[in-house]
Amino acid sequence: MPGLKKLHLPWNSLGLIGVLIALILFFSFMSDYFFSTVTFRTLVNQIPALTVISVGMTYVLLIGGIDLSVGSVMALSAAVVGVAIADFHLPVLIAIVCGLAVGFIFGVTSGFVSSHWKIPSFVVTLGMLEIARGGSYLVTQSETKYIGDPVAFIGDPVPVVGISAALIAAVSVVIVAQWLLSKTIFGRYMIAIGTNEEAVRLAGINPVSWKIVVFAIAGLLAGLGGVFQLGYLQSADPNAGIGLELSAIAAVVIGGTSLSGGRGSVVNSFFGVLIIAVMQTGLAQLGVSESSKRIITGLVIIAAVLFDQYREPLAARLSGKNKRIPTFDDN
Amino acid sequence: MTESLSTPVNSGDLPVLLDVKALDKTFAVPVLKNLSFQLRKGEIHALMGSNGAGKSTLCNIIAGIHQPTAGEMYFLGEKYTPNDVKAAEEAGIRMVMQELNLFPTLSIAENLCFKNLGNKFGIIDSKRLRERATKLLDLVGLDDVTPETPMEDLGVGKQQLIEIASVISEPIKLLIVDEPTAALTDPQIDLLFEQLRKLRDQGVGIIYISHRMDEIQRIADRVSVLRDGQLVATEDIKDIDVETIVNLMSGDLDSHSISIKPGIRPPKSCVLRVRTLSKVGAFEDINLDIYSGEVLGIGGLIGSGRTELLRTLFGADVADAGSLRFASDDFLFPRLMRSPEEGVANGIGLVVEDRKSQGLLLQKSLLRNISLSILPQLTNKFAVVDKQREHDIAVEIAQRLAIKFDNIRAPIASLSGGNQQKALIARWLLRDLPILLFDEPSRGVDARAKTRIHELIREQALKGKAVIVVSSETQELMTVSDRIIVLSNGRMAGEFDRASFSEEKLLEASFRFYNKSSPQHKTNDKEQQDVSPTH
């Protein structure tokens, strides 16, 4: 796989791509409308927010943490941007910077409180989830704020390229985040902290500051997700993103990132996002009810984790050898 | 005091309870060698020996935790081969562990009756629990605590007493207690001894492990001394004195030779002054000068504060009092290391004791484990790691330290203990820090790797580094060190230069502050004078 190696895809990306292609073929076969530009456009509009939030979640899970606040933080950031434009008549770019700043501040706070005082990030971000949700109701006065044209450019297709600015930005985030993870010292430290934080500390590296950076990135990306969401809906909904943190965790876990930390890939999380999005769109086109869709999604998440857990013994059995396939950790 | 209860027993007349014959046990290295030992009915039999003499291994085998590699045991005349703790318990053999096995959030009563909590419907029978717990608490003199108290609210001493209470409340024939008094107060010790004597008088055979000579003289009927996995003597306690026991534990000095020559050393200069360093519950008032070009050994029994001292110098733990002064600023500023990061910034590296849980990234590769501490030196201005250089440097040092590996990218968990340890050392050698601390550098490694590690430690001193080595093996300390200090119960109990090394003196010093069963870290003036350096 020399070509793949150049792209720096982790070896198990192949399986995810396979699943994705299988899903697309399945839905194309089952429905005449699936393989069309309409479907493509729906998909493309849906995924940017979930994609960038899943990137942040991948980082947080990599260091052995979790961030439950991302859905609410996304809603709050969108609300701040919306109010800044609609009520304070700020220039759009400045409003966006305010929104991103809100996400960043929430991330830094979660990271600082959980790392510095050694409180499980689960609890801290659960608190932040409530705070951000309350904040978004406060900012919007519990009403959906319509913005309209000023933010339409985020979701509209860019001329020539044909896809939205949000998707271009989201894919760029995936690429940069994967590059940071596999090429830089920051990525190394994330993996090391997730593997054995005490060993990292006793190697003379301060894990606390790196963990804060990771949560800050996750918060910033949740803010960015809010901006994308705003561009897509052209309005700020204080109820947006409820349960989105769980979709992001699902995507990341389908992508093979370990919930106990130390192992994961941003690109694979992106494939996880695509698998979830394709499945949901496809099932909707088949006329599957919302309730059945959720049941199927739940089964797929569990199946993905089971497969991930047992892929090595399984691969060994399939290849007819008893030898365990060694795992190398270069990515 | 209840010493009058100690009716002298003519133990020679008592029948044999447990007969251990020619026991061998090998883990990575032989731990027990052809060991034979007899315990009689109705005696308290003290087991003594320095670190690694095989006391714990012997007791673990008797209690069914480990199985012997060779040899036989006879219990009440019948062949006894326990495959697990349950088999031993069914035979009536129980061990009270040094480390407690309790449920901290459950109540005392629930802990005491854990195997039999409910009635036949699985409902907790709190009245029965309470009655039984009250009875057991009275037995060990804890009548002032209520059975509903959560276990975690008690101090370690009381928890230990409760553990003992739960063991002795059942019908037993043989009891093993390992350092039971470490966390107990004097009245609690008196009560414990009273219970042990009562059991003895009922015909129970008791194996009593302790470092405290005075206690052994108070409670034991006979004493056996182990050394290097062999039984060197069994005597009636009234026929033996402390000096003889220490001599027996340390053994014949001439049989060991110091293999590594000191070598031509670069000029020594003081790089670090440690003054009145203290950490509550670990060590107190440590004063040390650390020299470049010298290997300083720290000896002492397990739990004497050696590991804690190293961790505090490095910044992994933070001291409660005292200071470090470094040559780098002419000893002007008193400091304390508050994090390992600070320790490294001040030129200190620590090769930790427990490499698996605190040192290595076990699931990650040898390459990643070696390069972890030098990544900032391997990056360009965008923080991108130069993988080629990383690989070359790791391969180079792996070869220099003779680390055996098939693929440098395979998980380090697949390597042997010796190679893992060398990888951990490699990580610190690459940092090139002036002060290197080693905690049990050769634990769990084979003989060849051990020799290589000793050479490495000596090389570092010859290169002008200041090196400190903590080891439980006196022989290892005497091999690698230029100077040895001994900690005893958290205090400096002696300092020896190479000319005055002797296993006997080191051992004697390491027992020094355990001789009083008074609370830790308290002493009178007479003893204080003994602490003065012996050279």
Side-chain angles (χ1 to χ4, degrees), chain A residues 183 185 188 199 201 262 329-330, chain B residues 316 340 364-365 383 385 390 409:
Chain A
K183 291 284 180 185
I185 197 165
R188 293 298 184 79
R201 191 177 82 93
D329 61 7
D330 243 24
Chain B
K364 301 298 166 193
S365 63
V385 178
E390 181 191 21
R409 291 195 165 84

Side-chain angles (χ1 to χ4, degrees), chain A residues 142-164:
Chain A
S142 303
E143 284 166 2
T144 300
K145 276 243 178 297
Y146 182 73
I147 318 294
D149 275 353
V151 290
F153 76 95
I154 300 167
D156 284 346
V158 175
V160 185
V161 193
I163 50 176
S164 69

Side-chain angles (χ1 to χ4, degrees), chain A residues 256-330:
Chain A
T257 292
S258 162
L259 270 177
S260 49
R263 185 166 64 86
S265 140
V266 175
V267 170
N268 284 354
S269 296
F270 180 53
F271 289 131
V273 170
L274 291 178
I275 286 171
I276 288 184
V278 165
M279 210 169 55
Q280 301 220 328
T281 314
L283 289 172
Q285 288 195 355
L286 290 182
V288 175
S289 69
E290 180 63 24
S291 42
S292 307
K293 255 167 69 185
R294 295 194 73 155
I295 292 172
I296 293 169
T297 310
L299 291 173
V300 167
I301 292 168
I302 294 171
V305 177
L306 269 177
F307 175 73
D308 194 55
Q309 185 76 26
Y310 293 101
R311 67 188 162 164
E312 282 175 37
L314 196 70
R317 208 181 311 152
L318 290 178
S319 65
K321 289 169 195 162
N322 284 327
K323 235 165 85 178
R324 271 173 76 88
I325 295 175
T327 44
F328 300 123
D329 61 7
D330 243 24

